[in-house]
Amino acid sequence: MKQYIILLLVLLSLTTSCSDWLDVRGENIEKEKDQFDNYKGFRDALTGCYMTMGGTDIYGERLTMTDIENLADLWYTSDSYKTQFPLNYYLSIHKYDNDDARASIKAMYAQLFTTISSANVLIKNIKDKGSNITDAQARNVIEGEAYAIRAYCQLDVLRLFGQLPSGATKMVSLPYSETTSIDEMPPYYSYSDYVAKLQSDIQTAESLLKDNDPIFSKTFTTLNNPSTDVQDDYMYYRQARLNYWAVRALHARMDLYIGNTTEAHTIAMEIINAKGSDGNALISLSGISDLQKGYNGLPSECLFYLSKYNLLDYANTSLIGGNSGQATSGKYFLSMDMLTQLYSSIPGSTASHNRYLNEWNRQTKNPSGTVCPALKKYWYDSSNADANYLSTKYQIVPMLRLSEMYLIAIETSTSLDEVQSLYKTYMTSCEYTLYTPFASLEDAKKEMVNEYRREFYGEGQMFFTYKRLASKSMLWNSDAITESNYILPLPSTEYDPSIIK
């Protein structure tokens, strides 16, 4: 058991063991000489990719909890923030020429492409030296995950810096990197060509993982138990990696974003109805079971999450989370009116809805004594947390969840009966039973916008929801939202600045 715990920590935590690998610079070629002489080298390289994804400049914070949510105007700000906390203020009003906003955008962009570059090095070497992995299944899984990591990040490059996916009048070309260094200049592609590259990567990942991923022979529960008989101990904890079903979920997310609604619906329903190797549901909505145990990130329904051993240290500082926090300027919280509005489209939900009751700390107050609700998604009670599950239940950043598949399926369905059935199951997991059936498919689509805002708070999905819908307004933002507001400028240091026409 001890060796597997060590493996988990190596795989999922931000340690220094792979720091050289993560330092993606010009000397990558030198490092590659010995890196890929054996299976362990490939494993370490893949681990490094996930560790980079968990960095605070991207999915460890900026692209989940803080900056990306400011772009959707989800956190409380005031006029005083203009001088005291300009990053929060200027992102929330979409003024990207501010120095703090530019620095944030540059940091996110750089780390996205650092991750992509790391994945590219792995892809290159598995083609050149893949024979050093004697197990063909393991080789296909590692290569598939590398393609999936690249696709995951390139999708978000598109969602951040690209043009509107429909009705665009401003056309943007973007870099799609298949190079092995961030110092190399990747080609720029039009929107349609970029999407074609993205689709190809996702399909490649799926084909490599199909039937090779251990999830086809073992359940998620089994693979989360290192005492079981799995020959390759690197194949445990598949929810912490881009497994086959997570890539399918990424495919559905991409299809929804680019407007392939029929395809998005098909994949989402495939995942919802999928069976595990034991004949039971592959994965189930987890609101009740997880939240009762204090697993606020809802790990049981995560198709993919990142594990961060130090998550509580900084997430709790920024987001307050626990009851001991105080809502002071510069931290991330709501006003009580904002929280009330968040749930206003489902009347009576504050009495039973388990997200409202468990994901929000309504005891947090500012120095004047005013209640300022704080998000508890990344907080846990360290004094009561089971040490055996820290990395897999508490210290996680959700990246793809089953709830998203339900919302995608509802939004894209052409059957009102199917919509009602899906929504009933989804709301039952939220322990809210007072909802009324939708009168039309259009009503369901409108409500899914509210559900995205409620369900994925602090997970970085709402700005992209507004963008794909070309919404001209955002809740809590009194300004009209324009097409330009949705297109983040590439960093001024970018070697081939995007041409916007």
Side-chain angles (χ1 to χ4, degrees), residues 21 23-32 36 113-126 128 150 176-187:
W21 172 253
D23 194 11
V24 184
R25 295 192 298 261
E27 66 257 26
N28 264 349
I29 294 174
E30 194 67 29
K31 295 177 185 179
E32 289 177 41
F36 300 102
F113 276 100
T114 296
T115 307
I116 292 166
S117 179
S118 297
N120 289 342
V121 171
L122 183 50
I123 292 168
K124 170 183 176 290
N125 279 279
I126 208 162
D128 295 343
R150 183 166 79 185
Y176 201 101
S177 177
E178 296 167 290
T179 63
T180 57
S181 170
I182 57 174
D183 297 324
E184 295 181 45
M185 179 176 169

Side-chain angles (χ1 to χ4, degrees), residues 404-423:
E404 183 176 354
M405 298 304 103
Y406 270 83
L407 300 195
I408 289 174
I410 292 170
E411 182 178 340
T412 57
S413 179
T414 58
S415 165
L416 189 57
D417 287 342
E418 180 183 69
V419 163
Q420 310 290 27
S421 176
L422 290 168
Y423 193 57

Side-chain angles (χ1 to χ4, degrees), residues 218-237:
K218 308 286 184 181
T219 66
F220 281 129
T221 299
T222 298
L223 292 168
N224 289 338
N225 182 4
S227 65
T228 56
D229 181 23
V230 175
Q231 288 185 336
D232 184 352
D233 58 12
Y234 193 63
M235 295 301 166
Y236 286 119
Y237 304 107

Side-chain angles (χ1 to χ4, degrees), residues 6 13 29 61 101 126 146 225 233 287 305 336 342 389 442 476:
I6 293 172
S13 302
I29 294 174
E61 184 182 335
I126 208 162
N225 182 4
D233 58 12
Y305 62 74
M336 196 62 211
L342 188 63
Y389 297 110
E442 190 60 33
W476 306 318

Side-chain angles (χ1 to χ4, degrees), residues 245-305:
W245 290 107
V247 177
R248 290 296 280 164
L250 179 65
H251 197 157
R253 176 185 285 179
M254 177 199 67
D255 276 332
L256 180 69
Y257 186 76
I258 65 177
N260 290 346
T261 54
T262 300
E263 293 87 344
H265 180 266
T266 298
I267 297 172
M269 291 302 297
E270 175 191 351
I271 296 169
I272 290 169
N273 294 323
K275 302 295 184 183
S277 60
D278 60 356
N280 297 318
L282 172 77
I283 193 167
S284 301
L285 293 167
S286 69
I288 298 171
S289 60
D290 276 356
L291 292 173
Q292 285 178 340
K293 298 172 184 174
Y295 304 157
N296 294 329
L298 302 175
S300 297
E301 72 164 55
C302 284
L303 292 154
F304 171 45
Y305 62 74

